[in-house]
Amino acid sequence: MTAKIISGTEIAERIRQELRAKIADLRSKGIVPGLAVVLVGEDPASQQYVRNKGKACDELGIYSRTIVLPADTTEEKLLSVVDELNKDPQVHGFLVQLPLPKHIDENKVLNAIDPGKDADGFHPVNVGRMLIGDPLFLPATPHGIQEMLVRSGNDPAGKHVVVVGRSNIVGKPVAAILMQKARGANATVTVAHSRTKDLASFTRQGDIVIAAMGSPRFIKADMIKEGAVVIDVGTNRVDDPTAKKGYRWVGDVDFDAVKEKASYITPVPGGVGPMTIVMLMMNAVTAAYRANGLEY
Ligand code: GUN
């Protein structure tokens, strides 16, 4: 079997169209949704993410503000910036790009964000609300994965989803979202990780496999059941002397081999990446509706 490609680029464009209508509706009421992003330091991958978020806002007509702070910014200073954004009425949602420099306590910063403006859904209140099935903001990458499954005709209801990776940003929340008694969920979920014994014996049971452990091309064809749906969350930069830039981006899945066995697969780039950005935009728009007492 050769897999059909689930194009995150195409699905994200369809969602952007839906968002354009919502943003026009808000603007007709005199409301401009606003999203702020705080970046501390000069990590090139983080700089790239933050640039992409700003571009996506501009393209949709979302007011965007990017606050770049030097790597030696104190925790106290960052907390005061968070406090200002909590109070700023032009900013409906915001996020602090992770990872933060080592001298800053990430949990302390996430705890300081107003849960009602937490566009990433990383505040413990929002993590808890997601888990109990009463979400306010869902984290963008796991929510994007759910949308890709549903919109490609692979509703996870009743399926066995095997998640590989247990990060707070992808593995844990995607498991929590897909196990809910809710539309686009109702899956049976297994979470495997770096300490799982005989990992392949688990991944081979997956009707849907979500690879989110950050190891280039780790998931091989013999680890996947024939006809499985494979979602690749990895973005790993690998050296490639034949590429113009000397490197290229690969996922956590050995794409060329796995696509001959899967029924559906997401590419890297052009898969989960574009979905993450558009789902963040959706959070900014829903935040603007909510802040004005309106239904999205
Ligand atoms: N770093 C990697 N992914 C993310 C994300 O989705 N949000 C934030 N704030 N930082 C990240």
Side-chain angles (χ1 to χ4, degrees):
M1 176 181 284
T2 298
K4 293 197 176 82
I5 304 291
I6 306 177
S7 168
T9 310
E10 281 174 30
I11 296 172
E13 180 51 35
R14 260 178 269 148
I15 297 173
R16 262 197 301 279
Q17 286 299 347
E18 294 162 20
L19 286 178
R20 281 191 188 98
K22 295 289 186 186
I23 293 163
D25 172 50
L26 282 171
R27 282 179 172 260
S28 76
K29 298 177 167 77
I31 303 159
V32 180
L35 179 74
V37 177
V38 183
L39 172 63
V40 184
E42 287 163 14
D43 175 65
S46 291
Q47 285 176 328
Q48 183 64 38
Y49 290 139
V50 169
R51 263 197 303 274
N52 289 343
K53 289 170 189 174
K55 263 195 265 176
C57 283
D58 294 346
E59 205 258 321
L60 282 173
I62 294 174
Y63 164 70
S64 92
R65 193 185 307 163
T66 303
I67 299 165
V68 181
L69 301 169
D72 63 358
T73 299
T74 63
E75 187 178 278
E76 195 186 2
K77 167 69 185 164
L78 179 57
L79 289 170
S80 79
V81 169
V82 167
D83 193 43
E84 280 166 33
L85 292 170
N86 282 340
K87 291 175 182 151
D88 188 331
Q90 268 193 311
V91 174
H92 298 106
F94 70 95
L95 63 92
V96 177
Q97 185 66 31
L98 304 179
L100 287 167
K102 296 254 180 303
H103 65 279
I104 297 178
D105 181 344
E106 204 162 280
N107 284 332
K108 204 164 167 184
V109 174
L110 294 179
N111 268 294
I113 297 173
D114 175 351
K117 289 195 173 190
D118 175 29
D120 260 335
F122 290 172
H123 188 285
V125 163
N126 285 323
V127 177
R129 291 188 64 156
M130 169 182 67
L131 194 63
I132 65 172
D134 178 30
L136 192 61
F137 291 105
L138 288 176
T141 303
H143 194 194
I145 292 168
Q146 182 182 40
E147 286 294 324
M148 289 179 103
L149 289 170
V150 171
R151 291 178 188 241
S152 64
N154 293 295
D155 192 308
K159 306 272 175 62
H160 185 189
V161 175
V162 178
V163 179
V164 189
R166 53 177 157 178
S167 70
N168 288 339
I169 293 178
V170 184
K172 285 181 202 166
V174 82
I177 289 170
L178 295 181
M179 73 165 74
Q180 294 298 320
K181 192 171 188 174
R183 186 197 75 86
N186 291 304
T188 303
V189 180
T190 296
V191 181
H193 48 73
S194 53
R195 299 289 288 270
T196 297
K197 271 191 209 158
D198 193 7
L199 177 67
S201 71
F202 291 93
T203 54
R204 276 197 290 266
Q205 292 177 47
D207 303 312
I208 299 171
V209 175
I210 300 176
M213 64 292 197
S215 303
R217 301 190 189 99
F218 184 88
I219 300 290
K220 308 288 184 203
D222 65 359
M223 297 170 75
I224 293 292
K225 166 166 88 172
E226 186 80 34
V229 175
V230 179
I231 306 291
D232 190 351
V233 190
T235 42
N236 308 288
R237 197 171 133 159
V238 295
D239 292 336
D240 180 357
T242 68
K244 220 190 293 170
K245 292 179 177 163
Y247 64 83
R248 65 195 189 97
W249 296 98
V250 301
D252 289 351
V253 174
D254 183 7
F255 181 86
D256 291 336
V258 172
K259 80 173 189 327
E260 298 306 327
K261 207 164 171 192
S263 59
Y264 287 84
I265 191 167
T266 66
V268 176
V272 174
M275 294 298 296
T276 295
I277 303 266
V278 80
M279 299 317 284
L280 177 68
M281 300 298 116
M282 187 185 282
N283 280 349
V285 174
T286 54
Y289 271 90
R290 221 181 279 130
N292 289 281
L294 300 167
E295 288 274 334
Y296 175 77

